[in-house]
């Protein structure tokens, strides 16, 4: 049993293939007879009340026709004005019955002169017809014609373009992606009206049939990278692709790493910047989160604002974030190791004051730290999931009241509360949510190592972290570049953000085909 | 993008050699040198022996450049015959295993003395070795990437801490320069051997170089960097502790950083920082030894490298615990220093002469 579970991916592939085959065998082609065609569709999806069948006659002729659509997914005005009206009224006035008996002629005539919808396809396989209907198209069936017209009438309610909630900036565009792929694509096009901007379409999920766009810059993005991404996207094999997280988990390099190896973002400007650096972006229908690959650790600590602000504040703020990341991971563990192992390393006065506050605390410092850090994680999670006004109350009650009471009751020392608070606040300074989670998890590992081996444990943990990041690659790019391998050109945009004037070339680590950012002199 | 597999750049090579050299030796160097010279001129000895080593390292690179695609294990049978070749390979492997174990023990000794006085060696050594195995199974590329990452912060912290020690620096302690002539300086060159071992790994890892023709540049940079630190450390330690003081301390460099305190900042003492980067440097030397010896086995037996890494790790653990006390341990160090020097000076020189006489060279296939 265990063996078969382990090979679940292989097994999944097999079952999917076997599922597809009978479907294809079952799939019949469209016939001349409208009644059998309608029956065929009805057999498949006719039992759903939202599937609407509307039969009518073409003008004054006796020729039968029908449209099929799903209520709520289509633009009804469009169907009434551009399809039904023209089919029922206009056709008859120009065309006589004799001419309509010529089938090929009729097909062309309907296509060219009657239907005034921009997006028209002809389909012969029922499978595709049904899929199209279920994604919002309208099927037009006409007697004596052995194809079905698929009319693009998709229209559903989408959220308007709003400010991205998870990545807010002080300065920068306030546009964020929404759930509609068409809108997101338009946002990218508007920001980058360059012929090199290329979008390849994929269909994700055997059942969900979500549209996915692989976006890159032709002539900039390295073809090797593109090949890796394409290969991994084609490997995607699930019936459902709900959110870009599904895709991310399928295409990432290391499934056991805590670090995100693909960046998710709601900001079109961020995607555009990444594209021009030679990275690829992945947009999925139904989610405002686009994916950017490959990523490096330094990208996790960057915010678009670094580039919008002038370079000195931009660099300093970035430096501050590196500092915050360090605090998030290591400060509680260093505190634990100093308190429980190396009291001698703390300056005497500070040591005395710490000892005074720790008097009466019943737990060793490791347990104390783990307790408090867990408590603050619970608080954060509770505040996140609750409605906003309630969430704030939870934060207030949890943070202030419980913290104060815990200190007064002598369960924890006030210095521990300070350490925990500093750590928590620092972790919020990391602009990428998923990177922030990674660092917060690592903090616990560091604390446990510190509890066992003291400062030596912290050093070991640092080594472990460094080794892991050195081994990690994101789509062939080392995760810690440009720190290693040394690429001095890329250091202009690493810990400091140098003036834009100096950044004349694209990042070297991306091995772009065209590495100049400026015009001319090519 | 995937093509760079198993190839390392010239900068990476230089960093590799220099991080491999910087290890246990740096902490005891001022003591062992001064014990022989009895004058404050130890730093000149270090400089001179560094230059000598560099000269022979160039010969070593020249030898490697005759076989740019192969490691020492692979080409030495071609020069001196199959059985002598294998014998030489095994002695090099044994040397690396011993050196790696020696470094682990040294780390355990210092950690025991300064950080964890009540923790048994087992508890400090085992996680250390496990980390080494975790890194080396990834191959040469993660290895050199880690070295690069650690290199810059190590240098920065080292320079800051050493400059802080100016507070106790007494210029009179290092004067007179060459007061008793050149003879003590020459004598002092001998005990620097252990600190200067390191370039011999080039015999093996040279085959990974992307641009083998830049080998001399890489090794010269790789030796110059640690040499600079050695000289700085020796001068500052002598300057603070004096000729007599240096000789009485087991780890004079750590004693140097214990000498001074800066009150008012969060940390008053800085030997912790020095110790931290030093543990990282020991780690780098240990993993290169582990990797290079496992690579030797895998190339001689033409098998995968991973089983050898896993097999060598417990072996090194046992060896690292075998010196009975710290004097045994230092004797092992002296011995390893001489063997290392033999592999830098004697072996490559003889090999290159034989290779030249027999006209052995790598013939490019095409």
């Amino acid at each position: 049993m265990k063996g078969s579970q382990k090979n679940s991916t292989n097994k999944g592939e097999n079952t999917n293939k076997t599922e597809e085959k009978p479907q294809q065998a079952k799939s019949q082609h469209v016939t001349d007879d409208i009644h059998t065609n309608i029956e065929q569709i009805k057999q498949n999806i006719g039992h759903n009340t939202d599937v609407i069948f509307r039969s009518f006659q073409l003008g004054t002729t006796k020729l039968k026709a029908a449209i099929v659509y799903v209520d709520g997914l289509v633009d009804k005005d469009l169907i009434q004005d551009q399809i039904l009206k023209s089919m029922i009224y206009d056709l008859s006035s120009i065309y006589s019955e004799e001419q309509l008996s010529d089938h090929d002629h009729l097909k062309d005539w309907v296509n060219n002169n009657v239907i005034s919808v921009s997006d028209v396809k002809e389909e012969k396989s029922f499978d595709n017809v049904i899929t199209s209907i279920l994604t919002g198209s309208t099927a037009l069936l006409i007697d004596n014609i052995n194809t079905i017209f698929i009319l693009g009438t998709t229209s559903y309610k989408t959220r308007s373009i709003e400010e991205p909630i998870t990545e807010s900036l002080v300065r920068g565009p306030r546009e964020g992606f929404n759930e509609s792929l068409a809108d997101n694509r338009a946002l990218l096009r508007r920001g980058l009206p360059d012929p090199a901007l290329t979008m390849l379409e994929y269909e994700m999920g055997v059942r969900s049939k979500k549209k996915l766009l692989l976006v890159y810059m032709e002539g900039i993005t390295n073809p090797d990278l593109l090949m890796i991404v394409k290969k991994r996207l084609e490997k995607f094999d699930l019936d459902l692709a709900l959110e870009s997280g599904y895709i991310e988990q399928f295409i990432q390099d290391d499934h056991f790493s805590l670090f995100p190896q693909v960046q998710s973002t709601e900001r079109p400007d961020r995607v555009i910047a990444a594209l021009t650096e030679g990275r690829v972006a992945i947009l999925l229908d139904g989610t405002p989160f686009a994916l950017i690959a490959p990523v490096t650790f330094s990208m996790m600590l960057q915010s678009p604002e670094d580039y919008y602000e002038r370079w000195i504040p931009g660099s300093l703020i970035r430096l501050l974030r590196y500092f915050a990341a360090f605090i998030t991971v290591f400060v509680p563990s260093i505190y634990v190791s100093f308190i429980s192992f190396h009291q001698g390393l703390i300056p005497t006065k500070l040591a005395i004051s710490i000892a005074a506050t720790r008097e009466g605390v019943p737990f060793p410092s490791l347990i104390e730290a783990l307790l408090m850090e867990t408590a603050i994680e619970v608080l954060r999670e509770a505040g996140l999931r609750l409605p906003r006004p309630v969430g704030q109350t939870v934060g207030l009650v949890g943070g202030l009241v419980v913290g104060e009471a815990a200190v007064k009751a002598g369960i924890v020392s006030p210095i521990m509360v300070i350490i925990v608070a500093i750590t928590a606040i620092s972790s919020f300074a990391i602009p990428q949510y998923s990177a922030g989670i990674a660092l917060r998890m690592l903090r616990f590992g560091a604390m446990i190592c510190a509890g066992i081996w003291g400062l030596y444990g912290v050093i070991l943990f640092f080594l472990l972290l460094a080794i892991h990041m050195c081994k990690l690659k994101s789509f062939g790019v080392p995760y810690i570049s440009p720190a290693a391998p040394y690429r001095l050109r890329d250091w202009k945009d690493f810990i400091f953000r140098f003036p834009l004037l100096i950044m004349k070339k694209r990042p070297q680590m991306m091995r772009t085909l065209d590495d100049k950012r400026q015009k001319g002199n090519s | 993008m995937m093509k760079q597999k198993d190839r390392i750049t010239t900068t990476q090579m230089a960093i590799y050699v220099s991080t491999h050299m910087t290890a246990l030796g740096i902490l005891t160097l001022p003591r062992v040198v001064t014990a022989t010279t009895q004058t404050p001129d130890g730093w000149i000895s270090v400089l001179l022996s560094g230059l000598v080593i560099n000269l022979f390292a160039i010969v070593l690179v020249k030898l490697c450049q005759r076989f740019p695609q192969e490691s020492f294990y692979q080409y030495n049978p071609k020069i001196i015959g199959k059985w002598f070749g294998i014998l030489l390979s095994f002695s090099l492997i044994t040397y690396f295993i011993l050196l790696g174990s020696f470094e682990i023990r040294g780390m355990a000794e210092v950690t025991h003395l300064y950080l964890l006085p009540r923790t048994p060696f087992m508890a400090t050594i085992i996680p250390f070795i496990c980390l080494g195995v975790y890194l080396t199974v990834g191959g040469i590329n993660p290895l050199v990437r880690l070295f690069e990452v650690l290199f810059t912060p190590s240098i920065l912290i080292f320079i800051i801490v050493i400059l802080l020690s100016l507070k106790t620096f007494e210029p009179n302690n290092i004067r007179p320069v060459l007061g008793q002539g050149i003879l003590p300086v020459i004598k002092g060159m001998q005990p620097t051997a252990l600190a200067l071992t390191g370039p011999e790994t080039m015999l093996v890892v040279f085959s990974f170089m992307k641009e083998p023709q830049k080998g001399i540049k890489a090794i010269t940079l790789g030796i110059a960097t640690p040499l600079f630190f050695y000289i700085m450390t020796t001068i500052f330690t002598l300057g603070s502790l004096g000729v007599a003081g240096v000789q009485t301390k087991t780890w004079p460099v750590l004693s140097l950083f214990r000498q001074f305190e800066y009150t008012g900042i969060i940390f008053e003492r800085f030997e912790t920082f020095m110790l931290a980067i030093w543990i990282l440097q020991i780690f780098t030397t240990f993993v290169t030894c582990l990797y290079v010896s496992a690579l030797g086995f895998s190339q001689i037996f033409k098998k995968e490298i991973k089983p050898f890494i896993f097999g060598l790790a417990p072996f090194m653990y046992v060896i690292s615990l075998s010196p009975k006390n710290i004097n045994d341990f230092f004797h092992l160090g002296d011995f390893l220093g001489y063997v290392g020097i033999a592999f830098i000076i004697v072996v490559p020189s003889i090999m290159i002469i034989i290779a030249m006489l027999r006209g052995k060279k790598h013939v490019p296939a095409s």
Side-chain angles (χ1 to χ4, degrees):
Chain A
M1 277 304 283
K2 270 184 184 172
S4 67
Q5 273 180 340
K6 268 187 183 172
N7 292 329
S8 60
T9 49
N10 289 331
K11 199 183 156 196
E13 271 174 30
N14 291 335
T15 49
N16 276 323
K17 271 173 196 164
T18 46
E19 263 177 19
E20 271 170 30
K21 270 177 193 167
Q23 265 185 8
Q24 274 172 356
K26 200 175 66 184
S27 142
Q28 286 169 2
H29 283 291
V30 178
T31 59
D32 275 353
D33 183 26
I34 190 170
H35 291 294
T36 48
N37 289 347
I38 290 179
E39 270 314 304
Q40 187 71 41
I41 296 177
K42 268 191 178 160
Q43 254 180 29
N44 274 302
I45 50 173
H47 51 277
N48 297 311
T49 47
D50 58 342
V51 181
I52 311 287
F53 292 83
R54 166 81 164 86
S55 300
F56 55 92
Q57 290 185 342
L58 279 183
T60 53
T61 67
K62 289 275 154 53
L63 212 54
K64 280 190 174 159
I67 55 171
V68 187
Y69 61 89
V70 176
D71 195 19
L73 288 182
V74 295
D75 184 352
K76 273 198 173 159
D77 291 341
L78 189 76
I79 293 181
Q80 277 162 16
D81 294 344
Q82 312 296 339
I83 302 169
L84 282 182
K85 228 179 216 169
S86 48
M87 297 296 263
I88 295 175
Y89 295 118
D90 303 352
L91 188 74
S92 58
S93 60
I94 312 165
Y95 232 59
S96 63
E97 203 170 333
E98 294 93 65
Q99 281 164 308
L100 286 180
S101 58
D102 180 1
H103 302 150
D104 287 341
H105 210 92
L106 173 68
K107 199 164 89 179
D108 288 343
W109 172 257
V110 169
N111 199 352
N112 295 336
N113 299 42
V114 181
I115 308 166
S116 42
V117 178
S118 60
D119 184 9
V120 179
K121 270 190 301 186
E122 289 177 29
E123 222 21 282
K124 294 204 174 193
S125 139
F126 273 112
D127 270 350
N128 295 343
V129 168
I130 285 162
T131 309
S132 308
I133 294 172
L134 291 179
T135 50
S137 299
T138 299
L140 169 63
L141 298 84
I142 299 172
D143 204 9
N144 292 338
I145 299 181
N146 64 350
T147 60
I148 293 178
F149 290 103
I150 303 294
L151 314 173
T153 52
T154 313
S155 160
Y156 46 84
K157 294 277 181 295
T158 60
R159 200 158 55 93
S160 59
I161 290 170
E162 288 162 17
E163 188 180 353
I165 300 169
T166 55
E167 295 163 87
S168 48
L169 295 185
V170 177
R171 178 174 180 177
R174 302 247 183 266
E175 285 176 336
F177 287 129
N178 64 11
E179 282 79 7
S180 153
L181 189 63
D183 288 355
N184 295 348
R185 175 161 47 183
L187 280 173
L188 288 188
R189 279 273 179 227
R190 215 179 61 198
L192 207 63
D194 188 286
L197 182 68
T198 316
M199 302 181 178
L200 299 181
E201 196 173 296
Y202 286 83
E203 203 178 75
M204 285 294 144
V206 183
R207 290 191 190 280
S208 68
K209 298 198 173 69
K210 278 277 172 68
K211 273 184 189 164
L212 177 143
L213 288 182
L214 171 61
V215 191
Y216 64 96
M217 298 292 280
E218 186 79 54
I220 293 178
T221 311
N222 187 300
D224 290 344
L225 167 67
L226 212 57
M227 215 178 61
I228 300 176
V229 178
K230 278 181 189 167
K231 217 182 265 172
R232 293 192 188 167
L233 279 179
E234 277 153 18
K235 257 187 359 203
F236 182 88
D237 191 23
L238 266 186
D239 54 353
L240 192 64
L242 259 186
E243 213 270 342
S244 51
Y246 278 57
I247 312 291
E248 177 183 344
Q249 288 166 56
F250 256 85
I251 63 175
Q252 66 189 357
D253 288 66
D254 186 348
H255 298 277
F256 294 101
S257 178
L258 290 181
F259 293 103
Q261 297 141 58
V262 178
Q263 189 176 35
S264 62
T265 179
E266 282 187 88
R267 304 194 64 90
D269 51 335
R270 197 164 204 165
V271 172
I272 289 168
L275 287 173
T276 52
E277 280 180 349
R279 300 176 207 275
V280 300
I282 292 167
L283 304 180
L284 186 73
D285 192 21
T287 174
F289 287 96
L291 303 178
I292 297 172
V295 296
T296 59
F297 180 68
S298 61
M299 275 173 77
M300 297 298 159
L301 297 174
Q302 292 172 4
S303 157
E305 212 168 341
D306 299 354
Y307 303 92
Y308 304 151
E309 274 298 338
R310 285 164 327 109
W311 76 276
I312 297 177
S315 298
L316 289 178
I317 288 171
R318 191 178 277 185
L319 192 67
L320 198 69
R321 276 192 224 114
Y322 277 91
F323 193 58
F326 180 82
I327 290 178
T328 309
V329 182
F330 288 110
V331 160
S333 51
I334 290 176
Y335 174 77
V336 167
S337 70
F338 276 13
I339 294 299
S340 30
F341 287 88
H342 321 290
Q343 296 88 349
L345 295 176
I346 315 171
T348 322
K349 276 183 191 167
L350 186 61
I352 291 170
S353 70
I354 291 177
T357 57
R358 273 189 57 77
E359 203 180 349
V361 176
F363 307 114
S365 60
L366 173 66
I367 302 295
E368 194 189 352
L370 285 177
L371 260 176
M372 287 306 284
E373 294 287 358
T374 315
I376 203 143
E377 287 298 309
V378 172
L379 265 178
R380 194 196 50 79
E381 182 65 19
L384 202 66
R385 305 286 163 221
L386 285 171
R388 203 160 283 177
V390 190
Q392 281 169 358
T393 324
V394 167
L396 216 66
V397 171
L400 290 178
V401 179
V402 176
E404 178 71 24
V407 169
K408 281 240 172 90
I411 301 172
V412 291
S413 64
I415 293 205
M416 196 68 219
V417 176
I418 296 174
I419 298 274
V420 168
I422 289 175
T423 321
I425 291 168
S426 301
S427 76
F428 296 138
I430 291 152
Q432 279 282 313
Y433 180 70
S434 47
I437 292 183
L439 296 182
R440 288 209 307 270
M441 285 188 284
L442 290 171
R443 187 179 65 188
F444 286 92
M447 277 190 287
I448 291 168
C449 281
I452 300 173
W453 291 291
L455 206 55
Y456 177 68
V458 180
I459 296 168
L460 283 187
F461 189 78
F462 170 78
L463 252 181
L464 176 68
L465 210 59
I467 294 172
H468 175 68
M469 294 216 301
C470 289
K471 290 179 85 168
L472 196 60
K473 276 186 165 191
S474 166
F475 295 86
V477 176
Y479 201 59
I480 40 158
S481 42
Y486 276 136
R487 295 214 172 89
L488 282 184
R489 194 169 104 195
D490 295 357
W491 280 51
K492 286 176 197 163
D493 189 12
F494 178 33
I495 295 173
F496 292 100
R497 201 275 289 172
F498 280 62
L500 291 174
L501 272 174
I502 296 182
M503 289 200 260
K504 289 177 181 169
K505 290 187 167 176
R506 301 182 207 284
Q508 204 178 355
M509 60 178 135
M510 296 307 305
R511 294 161 191 258
T512 48
L513 298 179
D514 166 27
D515 64 358
K516 286 201 179 64
R517 279 171 182 264
Q518 294 169 321
K519 71 176 175 188
N521 309 334
S522 60
Chain B
M1 230 160 242
M2 293 300 213
K3 279 170 201 156
Q4 60 176 347
K5 207 182 174 220
D6 284 355
R7 281 279 169 271
I8 55 182
T9 63
T10 314
T11 326
Q12 285 180 323
M13 194 51 149
I15 291 172
Y16 178 92
V17 172
S18 93
T19 43
H20 181 86
M21 277 180 78
T22 334
L24 255 185
I26 194 169
L27 292 193
T28 53
L29 185 66
R31 170 168 60 79
V32 292
V33 174
T34 315
T36 326
T37 58
Q38 298 294 340
T39 62
D41 297 329
W43 60 275
I44 307 178
S45 314
V46 178
L47 176 66
L48 284 180
S49 26
L51 293 178
V52 171
I53 290 294
N54 203 344
L55 204 69
F56 282 96
I58 289 172
V59 176
L60 189 153
V61 170
K62 283 280 169 205
L63 172 69
C64 292
Q65 279 173 341
R66 294 178 86 87
F67 304 92
Q69 302 299 323
E70 290 172 302
S71 79
F72 183 73
Y73 306 119
Q74 288 165 323
Y75 66 68
N76 71 31
K78 292 184 187 168
I79 301 176
I80 54 172
K82 192 179 172 194
W83 293 109
F84 277 115
I86 288 180
L87 198 69
L88 198 60
S89 296
F90 272 115
S91 49
L92 187 63
I93 290 173
T94 315
Y95 160 72
F96 280 126
I97 293 174
L98 286 176
L99 184 63
S101 317
F102 173 74
E103 301 289 344
I104 301 173
R105 176 60 180 266
M107 184 280 301
E109 290 280 356
V110 175
T111 317
H112 185 72
L113 196 62
Y114 287 91
L115 288 177
L116 299 170
R118 279 173 298 170
T119 311
F121 280 168
M122 192 180 77
T124 48
I125 292 179
I126 288 180
F128 197 72
I129 293 182
C130 289
L131 282 179
V133 171
Y134 176 55
L135 176 62
T136 38
V137 291
I140 184 88
N141 270 318
L143 208 78
V144 289
R145 281 208 289 273
L146 178 75
F147 292 4
E148 275 179 290
V149 171
L150 300 181
F151 189 66
T152 328
S154 297
I155 287 186
L156 283 178
I157 293 176
F158 179 83
I159 290 176
I160 291 171
V161 175
I162 205 114
L163 287 180
L164 286 174
S165 78
L166 274 175
K167 195 176 181 183
T168 54
F169 187 77
E170 184 59 58
N172 279 329
N173 275 341
I174 56 163
R175 281 192 290 218
V177 177
L178 292 178
Q180 296 183 24
I182 195 82
L183 207 65
V185 175
I186 304 285
K187 261 200 280 175
M189 283 170 69
Q190 192 202 2
T192 58
L194 176 67
L196 287 166
T197 54
E200 74 280 359
T201 46
M202 196 81 164
L203 284 171
V204 181
V205 290
F206 185 85
S207 55
F208 293 114
M209 272 194 87
K210 207 184 267 172
E211 298 162 301
Q213 67 276 13
K214 290 190 183 164
I216 291 177
K217 187 182 157 196
I219 202 149
T220 309
L221 276 175
I223 294 177
T225 321
L227 197 61
F228 171 73
F229 291 132
Y230 286 169
I231 293 169
M232 291 278 283
T233 317
T234 316
I235 292 177
F236 277 86
T237 317
L238 273 169
S240 289
L241 303 176
V243 175
V246 165
Q247 293 178 56
T248 55
K249 305 282 197 302
T250 317
W251 310 98
V253 178
L254 289 174
S255 309
L256 162 70
F257 298 122
R258 288 201 143 186
Q259 289 268 308
F260 57 89
E261 279 191 0
Y262 283 79
T263 42
I265 328 174
I266 302 176
F267 302 100
E268 291 185 338
R269 291 185 7 217
F270 296 88
E271 97 254 18
T272 326
F273 289 95
M274 196 62 194
L275 214 55
I277 61 161
W278 179 80
I279 288 176
L280 299 180
Q281 290 299 326
I282 291 273
F283 180 77
T284 58
T285 309
F286 156 64
V287 287
T288 44
C289 289
L290 178 61
Y291 180 73
V292 166
S293 48
L295 189 73
F297 278 117
S298 91
Q299 286 182 342
I300 291 171
F301 296 111
K302 297 193 173 58
K303 292 264 168 61
E304 273 278 292
I305 190 168
K306 278 184 192 173
F308 293 111
I309 295 175
F310 287 114
L312 279 176
F315 196 59
M316 286 170 106
Y317 169 69
V318 173
I319 295 178
S320 71
L321 289 183
S322 60
K324 284 191 192 66
N325 51 40
I326 196 138
N327 286 326
D328 255 18
F329 164 75
F330 280 127
H331 286 312
L332 177 64
D334 292 340
F335 169 71
L336 285 173
Y338 297 133
V339 179
I341 294 300
F343 272 109
I344 301 168
I345 294 181
V346 185
V347 174
S349 312
I350 295 174
M351 294 278 271
I352 200 165
I353 291 169
I354 299 175
M356 279 160 114
L357 288 178
R358 297 180 64 183
K360 291 282 180 186
K361 209 172 182 178
H362 173 75
V363 188
S366 68

